[in-house]
Amino acid sequence: MTDYLGNGIGAFYFHRQEEAGSGDIYNYYEYIHRVGKVLIMREEVATGNTAYADGGFNADTAWANKESLEYKKISEL
């Protein structure tokens, strides 16, 4: 069953965010599953479009490398 960022046992919980500064294109949001899986959501400021990256199981490493991760539709992860 795929629940993405939904409720229940498979839920991802919000962990931290970085709002775009002057001249930046994206806002970033980090979500962590209760077993440690990390997702990074990237939101384009101008359009509101979102994409997601698999951050593995290390939140600090995923967050530090968020700009170089490969972003896709959440259904493609």
Side-chain angles (χ1 to χ4, degrees):
M1 182 175 122
T2 303
D3 63 6
Y4 307 124
L5 299 178
N7 296 316
I9 293 173
F12 282 82
Y13 299 94
F14 176 74
H15 185 245
R16 60 182 147 192
Q17 70 184 43
E18 180 179 296
E19 297 292 323
S22 178
D24 290 337
I25 299 172
Y26 301 110
N27 294 321
Y28 292 93
Y29 305 90
E30 183 179 63
Y31 296 88
I32 301 177
H33 190 275
R34 67 183 183 92
V35 298
K37 182 73 172 160
V38 178
L39 289 179
I40 306 288
M41 182 181 85
R42 181 178 74 183
E43 175 188 36
E44 188 173 355
V45 174
T47 64
N49 291 333
T50 58
Y52 297 82
D54 181 345
F57 286 89
N58 186 311
D60 291 332
T61 299
W63 192 250
N65 296 315
K66 65 187 175 293
E67 293 177 9
S68 63
L69 295 174
E70 182 180 350
Y71 287 86
K72 305 174 181 182
K73 294 178 186 177
I74 196 164
S75 60
E76 296 175 350
L77 294 181

